[in-house]
Amino acid sequence: MNRRTEPRRMSDDAPAAGDDATPEGDGATGSSVPDDVRKYERFKKIDGAQYDRVNDFLRDRTYVTAREWAIARLCVDFRTETGVEMTKIGENLPQLVPFMTDTYSPQAVNQARAAFEEKVQKAGATFLYGAMSGFFTAEELDEMMYEVTEVAKFLLEVEGVDLAAAEELDAEDRISEVMREVRESSQEVRSDLD
């Protein structure tokens, strides 16, 4: 894979107005913050980041907004055997995510999670179609996979995930192998249809 520069940091982006963030509350709630909320460590690497900057960074590189990204991450981290703790996430959003300033209702949390899932599915379908259709050479797909992997790794690092170099290389190799198989299989399917 060709190596390029890593994505610009969120703090490097110029602030801009606007997003679909629609809080359902009016700030932090009371003084009784649950222990697991108080101990939550994700997003600490971007303490002090402004919502607009994070949102612009994501919008430049993904289909999701800062609100959807943060809430989707929280829904994974606050999942229990009986479901996702939507109320806890919404009521404690400003304590959990540094760039979120208002609380959300459980319905708003659920809507953001659903929007994230829908956008990921559509992006995946678009990418796979492009990969399977023959629009790209194997080298172009390899380069594209490197670029999108870099953005994904950066977002994981922001969330506090430490990826060892060996793990990164192994993941890149596995992704490249899968993409080669997708391209070869799609070539076979296309030739069968001709």
Side-chain angles (χ1 to χ4, degrees), residues 79-149:
R79 185 183 320 244
T80 67
E81 291 180 9
T82 57
V84 177
E85 299 180 276
M86 301 286 186
T87 301
K88 180 185 283 188
I89 292 168
E91 288 177 352
N92 296 285
L93 198 53
Q95 289 81 24
L96 292 165
V97 183
F99 54 83
M100 301 298 284
T101 57
D102 290 305
T103 59
Y104 279 61
S105 71
Q107 294 79 14
V109 171
N110 191 46
Q111 288 170 351
R113 179 181 69 162
F116 177 86
E117 291 172 358
E118 181 180 338
K119 288 179 179 181
V120 168
Q121 185 171 4
K122 285 182 179 180
T126 304
F127 175 77
L128 268 181
Y129 171 70
M132 294 174 69
S133 65
F135 288 143
F136 304 102
T137 65
E139 293 76 24
E140 289 170 331
L141 279 175
D142 195 46
E143 183 68 19
M144 190 183 306
M145 283 308 303
Y146 175 73
E147 294 294 329
V148 299
T149 300

Side-chain angles (χ1 to χ4, degrees), residues 36-45 158-160:
D36 55 347
V37 170
R38 201 173 310 115
K39 294 175 185 174
Y40 192 72
E41 292 294 322
R42 297 218 194 261
F43 303 108
K44 297 299 182 192
K45 289 187 177 184
V158 168
E159 293 175 6

Side-chain angles (χ1 to χ4, degrees), residues 5-53:
T5 58
E6 67 181 280
R8 291 183 302 154
R9 301 296 182 200
M10 291 179 192
S11 58
D12 294 340
D13 293 329
D19 175 36
D20 59 349
T22 52
E24 296 289 331
D26 55 1
T29 59
S31 61
S32 59
V33 177
D35 284 342
D36 55 347
V37 170
R38 201 173 310 115
K39 294 175 185 174
Y40 192 72
E41 292 294 322
R42 297 218 194 261
F43 303 108
K44 297 299 182 192
K45 289 187 177 184
I46 51 174
D47 272 342
Q50 294 178 347
Y51 180 87
D52 286 341
R53 288 184 184 225

